[in-house]
Amino acid sequence: MRRAFADALYDLAREDERVVLLTGDLGFGVFDRFQEDFGPRYVNVGVAEAQLIDCAAGMALEGFRPIAYSIASFATGRCFEQIRVAVGYHDAPVVVVGAGGGYTYANSGVTHHAAEDLALMGAIPAMTVVAPGAPSEISSLLPQLIKLDAPSYIRVGRYGEPDYPATQPARLGQARLLRDGTSVAVLTTGEVASEAVEALDALAAEDITPTHWQFHTVKPIDIAALDANAQSVHTLIVVEEHFPHGGLAAAVYAWAAKTAPDVTIKRLGPPHELALGGMSRTELRRQYEFDAPAIAEACRAAWLKKDKPS
Amino acid sequence: MALIELETEGRPLLDGDAADQLARRLRATCVQMAHIGGEGHLSSALSCVDILVALFDGWLRVSPARSNDPARDRFLFSKGHACTAYYALLAAKGFLDPDLLCTYAQRGSPLINHPCRHALPLLDMSSGSLGHGLGMATGMLYVLRLSRADARAAVLMSDGECNEGSVWEAAMFAAANRLDRLVAIVDVNGLQAVGRSDQLMGGTSLAEKFRAFGWASRDVDGHDVTALRATLNAVPFEPEKPSAIIAKTEGGHGVSFMTDQTLWHYRVPSPDEVVDALAELKERPLFEVST
């Protein structure tokens, strides 16, 4: 993911002189080529997240397109005030990049967990909030965020995440169909999508064939995709590596409260508690039951329900 | 008063008496606006009036005609709570219709209590939350340098604002990136919302703090327009360093019963207090109040 991000950023910077990268003293080795070729358009502000954002906002107000990079927990939490005021209130087209959203840095302890980043960023009115699930999604979405001309937040994972096939390209604001199926729809956001891909691969051997939608854009949520699913399946299984508040599930529940769809909604994801104990991300996903086996089990249980009458 | 005559970019400056008269007129305007708008912060507004006069009377390369010129100077009014002074100055300098001043802090007015760019697009920033102006100015200057524009940026902050850590994050960045077209002016009126800044900052020197962060800094009497001008004209104080002007002022300056009183951080003047204040200032506001 990080390689895809760095490559997409490099290409954008080559095409558009307004693109500037600011980092809060993070991303060792990630931006070497950028720094080499674009010199002063690479800006290390130091371990100073408030400055990272206020400075980026000032650049954006002068017509530049700053991309402000730090670890997700710091990029959203430490400078929430700056994002709210200097970026949000000023409608400054800054792309805030949270490296390692969710439990990417699980082993580094609670300070490095970002299970509330989508909620924090989504709470800001002007913000578009994106959590890609695969390197190719970053490559497609980053240029769309630059073109947006408005504040945005994007989660970027680590290295080596698998890509997944999809019939559609990733379009900002639109859920992406990763696998067409029946009766049950699995809705994911962020990198946990690959857990669902793995689960659905395993289920195919059992003739259990749910649909899989990747909601890389959490805000604005794709209401049309939710409405369409409400017509075609009886159960929505929402999977997110995020607290229950302000993430994908919260958006789905808000939609359901408004439209009263004839579907059962089940959420898989961490509870609203600190993930203490130094577990790895794999262990956390297992413990909180939103890894591939848990997703497969939830699909099996849902599959037994009668098909939706057409 | 012919307002347009006060527009001095590239023209001779107001002489000492005229600058003093303008400052008193702006203070009278602040008092009247605070009363009409029902919003306070007069202590902070009256303390920064002379600094605003010095900045806009010849130093800042800005004018109503060149608000879209990328080469114009930037001005970040970071102590947004003192906005009556800024609005009054903008009206005196022809950036605003003085008739708007009586709409201050009323529904639908462009003159929001705490300046808002959505309401008044000519502003370089929306303010009200302290500690953003300096960081935003560093970003502006950094990319203006990339674009080879020779604009400068002045940031007006309060001493209480320097409690904010973000000010010092920005100060570090400005020095590290040699932003010598940046000048930070700290209005040291010594008062905060519920305390005295000296006590809250442990009696330490702001000039020394900025120097320790790699800036050049100078202390100046913040009510002496001539001295303020001379100090501004010396910017950058040292090559390749940002400049800090530590302007010693009095909260509520110009009105004896408002001077150096924490009470007047929030207090809205009563009709009698407006009359007394205007009598002391010996000037009328920039706008007439319909009765």
Side-chain angles (χ1 to χ4, degrees), chain A residues 230-231 233-235 255 259-264 308-309:
Chain A
Q231 299 301 315
V233 300
H234 58 67
T235 303
W255 159 79
T259 59
D262 181 22
V263 285
T264 303
K308 192 153 191 150

PDB file of all heavy atoms in Angstrom, chain A residues 230-231 233-235 255 259-264 308-309:
ATOM      1  N   ALA A 230     -30.373  -3.536  -0.407  1.00  0.00           N
ATOM      2  CA  ALA A 230     -31.584  -3.783   0.380  1.00  0.00           C
ATOM      3  C   ALA A 230     -32.638  -4.509  -0.463  1.00  0.00           C
ATOM      4  O   ALA A 230     -33.473  -5.240   0.064  1.00  0.00           O
ATOM      5  CB  ALA A 230     -32.141  -2.471   0.905  1.00  0.00           C
ATOM      6  N   GLN A 231     -32.568  -4.302  -1.769  1.00  0.00           N
ATOM      7  CA  GLN A 231     -33.502  -4.978  -2.671  1.00  0.00           C
ATOM      8  C   GLN A 231     -33.078  -6.402  -2.995  1.00  0.00           C
ATOM      9  O   GLN A 231     -33.919  -7.251  -3.283  1.00  0.00           O
ATOM     10  CB  GLN A 231     -33.629  -4.202  -3.993  1.00  0.00           C
ATOM     11  CG  GLN A 231     -34.152  -2.781  -3.846  1.00  0.00           C
ATOM     12  CD  GLN A 231     -35.536  -2.750  -3.201  1.00  0.00           C
ATOM     13  OE1 GLN A 231     -36.417  -3.527  -3.568  1.00  0.00           O
ATOM     14  NE2 GLN A 231     -35.700  -1.870  -2.218  1.00  0.00           N
ATOM     15  N   VAL A 233     -30.610  -8.568  -1.274  1.00  0.00           N
ATOM     16  CA  VAL A 233     -30.143  -9.560  -0.280  1.00  0.00           C
ATOM     17  C   VAL A 233     -30.971  -9.433   1.002  1.00  0.00           C
ATOM     18  O   VAL A 233     -31.655  -8.428   1.209  1.00  0.00           O
ATOM     19  CB  VAL A 233     -28.642  -9.362   0.067  1.00  0.00           C
ATOM     20  CG1 VAL A 233     -27.773  -9.502  -1.173  1.00  0.00           C
ATOM     21  CG2 VAL A 233     -28.404  -8.024   0.755  1.00  0.00           C
ATOM     22  N   HIS A 234     -30.893 -10.469   1.843  1.00  0.00           N
ATOM     23  CA  HIS A 234     -31.641 -10.400   3.105  1.00  0.00           C
ATOM     24  C   HIS A 234     -30.751 -10.025   4.291  1.00  0.00           C
ATOM     25  O   HIS A 234     -31.244  -9.648   5.342  1.00  0.00           O
ATOM     26  CB  HIS A 234     -32.382 -11.711   3.383  1.00  0.00           C
ATOM     27  CG  HIS A 234     -31.501 -12.935   3.445  1.00  0.00           C
ATOM     28  ND1 HIS A 234     -30.573 -13.147   4.439  1.00  0.00           N
ATOM     29  CD2 HIS A 234     -31.425 -14.008   2.605  1.00  0.00           C
ATOM     30  CE1 HIS A 234     -29.969 -14.307   4.225  1.00  0.00           C
ATOM     31  NE2 HIS A 234     -30.451 -14.848   3.116  1.00  0.00           N
ATOM     32  N   THR A 235     -29.423 -10.135   4.114  1.00  0.00           N
ATOM     33  CA  THR A 235     -28.528  -9.821   5.238  1.00  0.00           C
ATOM     34  C   THR A 235     -27.324  -9.015   4.765  1.00  0.00           C
ATOM     35  O   THR A 235     -26.709  -9.352   3.746  1.00  0.00           O
ATOM     36  CB  THR A 235     -28.032 -11.121   5.918  1.00  0.00           C
ATOM     37  OG1 THR A 235     -29.162 -11.870   6.347  1.00  0.00           O
ATOM     38  CG2 THR A 235     -27.150 -10.805   7.120  1.00  0.00           C
ATOM     39  N   TRP A 255     -28.224   4.924   7.773  1.00  0.00           N
ATOM     40  CA  TRP A 255     -29.027   4.741   6.550  1.00  0.00           C
ATOM     41  C   TRP A 255     -30.261   3.886   6.855  1.00  0.00           C
ATOM     42  O   TRP A 255     -31.381   4.212   6.437  1.00  0.00           O
ATOM     43  CB  TRP A 255     -28.149   4.074   5.480  1.00  0.00           C
ATOM     44  CG  TRP A 255     -28.892   3.384   4.379  1.00  0.00           C
ATOM     45  CD1 TRP A 255     -29.480   3.959   3.293  1.00  0.00           C
ATOM     46  CD2 TRP A 255     -29.125   1.968   4.269  1.00  0.00           C
ATOM     47  NE1 TRP A 255     -30.063   3.002   2.506  1.00  0.00           N
ATOM     48  CE2 TRP A 255     -29.854   1.769   3.083  1.00  0.00           C
ATOM     49  CE3 TRP A 255     -28.775   0.862   5.042  1.00  0.00           C
ATOM     50  CZ2 TRP A 255     -30.260   0.497   2.658  1.00  0.00           C
ATOM     51  CZ3 TRP A 255     -29.163  -0.407   4.632  1.00  0.00           C
ATOM     52  CH2 TRP A 255     -29.904  -0.572   3.454  1.00  0.00           C
ATOM     53  N   THR A 259     -34.272   4.635   6.331  1.00  0.00           N
ATOM     54  CA  THR A 259     -35.011   4.012   5.227  1.00  0.00           C
ATOM     55  C   THR A 259     -35.752   2.742   5.634  1.00  0.00           C
ATOM     56  O   THR A 259     -36.535   2.221   4.846  1.00  0.00           O
ATOM     57  CB  THR A 259     -34.054   3.653   4.073  1.00  0.00           C
ATOM     58  OG1 THR A 259     -33.061   2.740   4.577  1.00  0.00           O
ATOM     59  CG2 THR A 259     -33.350   4.890   3.530  1.00  0.00           C
ATOM     60  N   ALA A 260     -35.498   2.228   6.854  1.00  0.00           N
ATOM     61  CA  ALA A 260     -36.136   1.003   7.340  1.00  0.00           C
ATOM     62  C   ALA A 260     -36.129  -0.102   6.280  1.00  0.00           C
ATOM     63  O   ALA A 260     -37.190  -0.602   5.877  1.00  0.00           O
ATOM     64  CB  ALA A 260     -37.550   1.305   7.816  1.00  0.00           C
ATOM     65  N   PRO A 261     -34.948  -0.502   5.810  1.00  0.00           N
ATOM     66  CA  PRO A 261     -34.890  -1.534   4.770  1.00  0.00           C
ATOM     67  C   PRO A 261     -35.257  -2.901   5.351  1.00  0.00           C
ATOM     68  O   PRO A 261     -35.102  -3.129   6.550  1.00  0.00           O
ATOM     69  CB  PRO A 261     -33.426  -1.494   4.342  1.00  0.00           C
ATOM     70  CG  PRO A 261     -32.688  -1.060   5.573  1.00  0.00           C
ATOM     71  CD  PRO A 261     -33.615  -0.110   6.288  1.00  0.00           C
ATOM     72  N   ASP A 262     -35.699  -3.772   4.466  1.00  0.00           N
ATOM     73  CA  ASP A 262     -36.075  -5.117   4.886  1.00  0.00           C
ATOM     74  C   ASP A 262     -34.845  -6.026   4.851  1.00  0.00           C
ATOM     75  O   ASP A 262     -34.753  -6.958   4.064  1.00  0.00           O
ATOM     76  CB  ASP A 262     -37.180  -5.628   3.932  1.00  0.00           C
ATOM     77  CG  ASP A 262     -37.651  -7.020   4.324  1.00  0.00           C
ATOM     78  OD1 ASP A 262     -37.469  -7.385   5.496  1.00  0.00           O
ATOM     79  OD2 ASP A 262     -38.175  -7.722   3.433  1.00  0.00           O
ATOM     80  N   VAL A 263     -33.864  -5.693   5.679  1.00  0.00           N
ATOM     81  CA  VAL A 263     -32.636  -6.499   5.740  1.00  0.00           C
ATOM     82  C   VAL A 263     -32.176  -6.613   7.197  1.00  0.00           C
ATOM     83  O   VAL A 263     -32.465  -5.746   8.017  1.00  0.00           O
ATOM     84  CB  VAL A 263     -31.452  -5.890   4.943  1.00  0.00           C
ATOM     85  CG1 VAL A 263     -31.598  -6.067   3.459  1.00  0.00           C
ATOM     86  CG2 VAL A 263     -31.249  -4.435   5.306  1.00  0.00           C
ATOM     87  N   THR A 264     -31.476  -7.688   7.464  1.00  0.00           N
ATOM     88  CA  THR A 264     -30.812  -7.850   8.759  1.00  0.00           C
ATOM     89  C   THR A 264     -29.400  -7.297   8.623  1.00  0.00           C
ATOM     90  O   THR A 264     -28.744  -7.530   7.606  1.00  0.00           O
ATOM     91  CB  THR A 264     -30.740  -9.347   9.116  1.00  0.00           C
ATOM     92  OG1 THR A 264     -32.068  -9.855   9.111  1.00  0.00           O
ATOM     93  CG2 THR A 264     -30.099  -9.567  10.471  1.00  0.00           C
ATOM     94  N   LYS A 308     -34.258 -14.025  -0.246  1.00  0.00           N
ATOM     95  CA  LYS A 308     -35.193 -12.913  -0.354  1.00  0.00           C
ATOM     96  C   LYS A 308     -36.143 -13.189  -1.515  1.00  0.00           C
ATOM     97  O   LYS A 308     -35.705 -13.484  -2.625  1.00  0.00           O
ATOM     98  CB  LYS A 308     -34.413 -11.632  -0.634  1.00  0.00           C
ATOM     99  CG  LYS A 308     -35.246 -10.407  -0.481  1.00  0.00           C
ATOM    100  CD  LYS A 308     -34.351  -9.257  -0.105  1.00  0.00           C
ATOM    101  CE  LYS A 308     -35.207  -8.086   0.310  1.00  0.00           C
ATOM    102  NZ  LYS A 308     -34.554  -7.251   1.273  1.00  0.00           N
ATOM    103  N   PRO A 309     -37.481 -13.131  -1.286  1.00  0.00           N
ATOM    104  CA  PRO A 309     -38.401 -13.353  -2.408  1.00  0.00           C
ATOM    105  C   PRO A 309     -38.239 -12.244  -3.444  1.00  0.00           C
ATOM    106  O   PRO A 309     -38.111 -11.080  -3.073  1.00  0.00           O
ATOM    107  CB  PRO A 309     -39.790 -13.300  -1.754  1.00  0.00           C
ATOM    108  CG  PRO A 309     -39.596 -12.633  -0.431  1.00  0.00           C
ATOM    109  CD  PRO A 309     -38.164 -12.786  -0.044  1.00  0.00           C
TER     110      PRO A 309
END
